[in-house]
Amino acid sequence: MIKTNYKNPDEQGYYGEFGGAFIPEMLFPNVEELQKNYLQIIESEEFQNEYQDLLKNYVGRATPLYLAKNLSKKYKTNIYLKREDLNHTGAHKINNALGQVLLTKRLGKHRIIAETGAGQHGVATATACALLGLECIVYMGEIDIARQAPNVARMKMLGATVIPATSGSKTLKDAVNEALRDWINNSTTTHYVIGSVVGPHPFPDLVARFQSVISKEIKEQLNEQIGRSTPDYVIACVGGGSNAAGTFYHFVEEENVKIIAAEAGGFGIDSGKSAATTFLGTLGVLHGSKSLVMQTEDGQVIEPHSISAGLDYPGIGPFHAHLFKENRAEFFSINDDEALQSAFDLTKLEGIIPALESAHALAVLDKKKFNETDIVVICLSGRGDKDMETYLSKL
């Protein structure tokens, strides 16, 4: 067993040198309230009974762990897909959104704000708010609103107000900035449902815990299907990194499991149009925590690029930065064209249209040599309906 504690931060929210809480003074009471109460609330029997019931009977968990025989034949190994795309709302995001909205009610607040890139987190949060009766405001980059129109329509139908972020690159980073400004102005009534393992402590830990159901189920399902609970490899895409954190969570301290993260290489690492943070980032503070950040020498954030709105982010969560720094996980940069080709391949071989985010994880299959006896688990984080316009433009 690996002795290092990878999955739990220290009391100040640090994973090694990454993490912490770097926040404006006006947000301190909110963040401190969360820090003091989140573990007590989410670990209580009452909370877990309601949350687990919703995961099972509303979300549709457990999601299948599917042996992709045609994909396995092509790559001459054993490839299992964790089908988070089959969750209600179409992605893993609902695991965290439901948990945080339930937590919000127990904190006595009635207004929810969220940010979203690909729209899946926005849809999940709007869904949870509709179910549990809370007001929902979603901030989204103006460019992402245009390229993810179906999800914008779903959020509005669910009763959410979608507000465009029109500054900077008009993508996910700018949506986060706008959401933080809202939180500062409405701190006593509002909870910010952050969608990834980013932000000030305790958000990276809070989101990872809600998403850890993914790796918990993988262990149980592998044991049922092949008689062992650990694969040889687990692979997931990483922007901020929420689906990856959930996929890796129960394996990071299992020495025999190799962990692989796929970042968005965009047009290529050296192209100036990339979001591969572990290749291009340096130590810095972004959106409330210390991590690896794509930035200039004087600390200005470099605008990222990815064909996938959900990976179009100039940083990475502190959990993943720590795995990278300690060489616990292997990181790959996947270009836009490589992700597209992997999406088309999965569609033709298995009849599954993946989200563009998930396609980055699938593309690792072309970059890594596996043995015939290896057990490889890939998290299919979301379905590709929202990306159909992009796919059709490339056919």
Side-chain angles (χ1 to χ4, degrees):
M1 294 290 292
I2 296 174
K3 293 181 180 178
T4 303
N5 182 350
Y6 286 106
K7 66 183 181 184
N8 296 319
D10 65 21
E11 290 185 356
Q12 284 71 47
Y14 279 89
Y15 302 82
E17 64 183 296
F18 306 106
F22 297 81
I23 51 176
E25 187 176 348
M26 291 181 69
L27 278 182
F28 184 77
N30 264 20
V31 172
E32 186 182 41
E33 179 186 29
L34 264 184
Q35 290 173 349
K36 287 182 176 177
N37 295 300
Y38 81 107
L39 284 177
Q40 181 182 352
I41 292 173
I42 69 174
E43 291 178 350
S44 70
E45 184 177 355
E46 180 196 8
F47 181 95
Q48 282 298 320
N49 285 342
E50 185 173 4
Y51 181 52
Q52 295 301 330
D53 179 71
L54 287 172
L55 287 182
K56 179 181 179 182
N57 296 309
Y58 185 73
V59 175
R61 304 202 71 92
T63 58
L65 183 68
Y66 166 67
L67 174 58
K69 293 181 180 176
N70 296 327
L71 202 63
S72 297
K73 184 177 180 182
K74 176 180 178 179
Y75 290 100
K76 297 180 174 55
T77 190
N78 305 285
I79 301 169
Y80 289 79
L81 302 177
K82 183 56 174 168
R83 298 292 307 277
E84 292 299 294
D85 57 314
L86 296 181
N87 279 325
H88 178 46
T89 71
H92 69 291
K93 294 292 188 182
I94 190 70
N95 306 324
N96 167 58
L98 262 181
Q100 286 207 49
V101 174
L102 283 174
L103 173 62
T104 302
K105 294 194 74 169
R106 283 162 172 77
L107 291 171
K109 299 185 178 182
H110 58 79
R111 182 175 181 268
I112 292 289
I113 56 171
E115 87 299 328
T116 193
Q120 292 301 108
H121 173 58
V123 169
T125 304
T127 299
C129 287
L131 176 69
L132 298 167
L134 275 71
E135 180 185 3
C136 183
I137 312 292
V138 179
Y139 290 91
M140 190 170 186
E142 193 173 52
I143 289 176
D144 292 339
I145 286 177
R147 60 181 171 176
Q148 302 290 346
N151 275 341
V152 175
R154 294 167 73 192
M155 283 183 267
K156 290 180 176 177
M157 186 167 179
L158 287 160
T161 301
V162 181
I163 300 178
T166 58
S167 61
S169 61
K170 303 175 185 176
T171 57
L172 180 58
K173 167 181 69 68
D174 310 291
V176 174
N177 289 336
E178 294 299 327
L180 284 170
R181 288 192 189 98
D182 183 313
W183 203 22
I184 290 171
N185 291 327
N186 300 281
S187 59
T188 58
T189 62
T190 301
H191 176 68
Y192 179 11
V193 179
I194 291 182
S196 196
V197 285
V198 299
H201 174 63
F203 282 103
D205 185 44
L206 180 63
V207 178
R209 286 173 185 267
F210 285 136
Q211 293 295 357
S212 70
V213 64
I214 300 172
S215 50
K216 179 176 182 289
E217 288 178 2
I218 291 172
K219 294 189 83 167
E220 294 168 351
Q221 291 166 323
L222 272 181
N223 200 39
E224 291 173 2
Q225 294 184 35
I226 64 173
R228 55 182 260 204
S229 61
T230 55
D232 296 289
Y233 294 89
V234 288
I235 305 173
C237 64
V238 174
S242 68
N243 94 91
T247 306
F248 302 160
Y249 194 85
H250 289 289
F251 297 118
V252 289
E253 289 162 18
E254 299 277 0
E255 192 172 32
N256 58 323
V257 180
K258 302 173 187 68
I259 292 172
I260 296 178
E263 291 185 310
F267 292 165
I269 291 174
D270 299 322
S271 67
K273 292 282 188 179
S274 178
T277 302
T278 60
F279 293 88
L280 298 169
T282 54
L283 188 65
V285 173
L286 179 66
H287 297 144
S289 65
K290 185 185 292 184
S291 189
L292 295 172
V293 181
M294 290 171 46
Q295 58 188 330
T296 61
E297 290 184 357
D298 57 356
Q300 298 300 308
V301 171
I302 296 172
E303 299 294 349
H305 164 79
S306 170
I307 194 171
S308 166
L311 303 182
D312 201 347
Y313 187 69
I316 190 170
F319 172 89
H320 297 295
H322 184 51
L323 296 184
F324 171 75
K325 186 70 179 295
E326 295 295 313
N327 294 315
R328 177 63 188 98
E330 186 176 8
F331 283 70
F332 285 87
S333 172
I334 305 297
N335 296 349
D336 290 350
D337 289 344
E338 293 168 336
L340 281 168
Q341 188 57 54
S342 292
F344 292 140
D345 287 349
L346 183 72
T347 303
K348 290 176 181 175
L349 285 172
E350 298 288 349
I352 299 170
I353 303 174
L356 269 167
E357 289 82 355
S358 311
H360 286 71
L362 292 162
V364 170
L365 294 170
D366 287 318
K367 294 178 175 290
K368 188 81 179 176
K369 179 66 176 175
F370 301 99
N371 295 322
E372 290 187 6
T373 57
D374 283 341
I375 302 298
V376 181
V377 175
I378 302 175
C379 183
L380 214 59
S381 56
R383 67 187 185 213
D385 308 34
K386 65 185 180 56
D387 298 310
M388 286 307 296
E389 188 172 333
T390 301
Y391 286 146
L392 292 174
S393 72
K394 303 295 183 181
L395 281 175

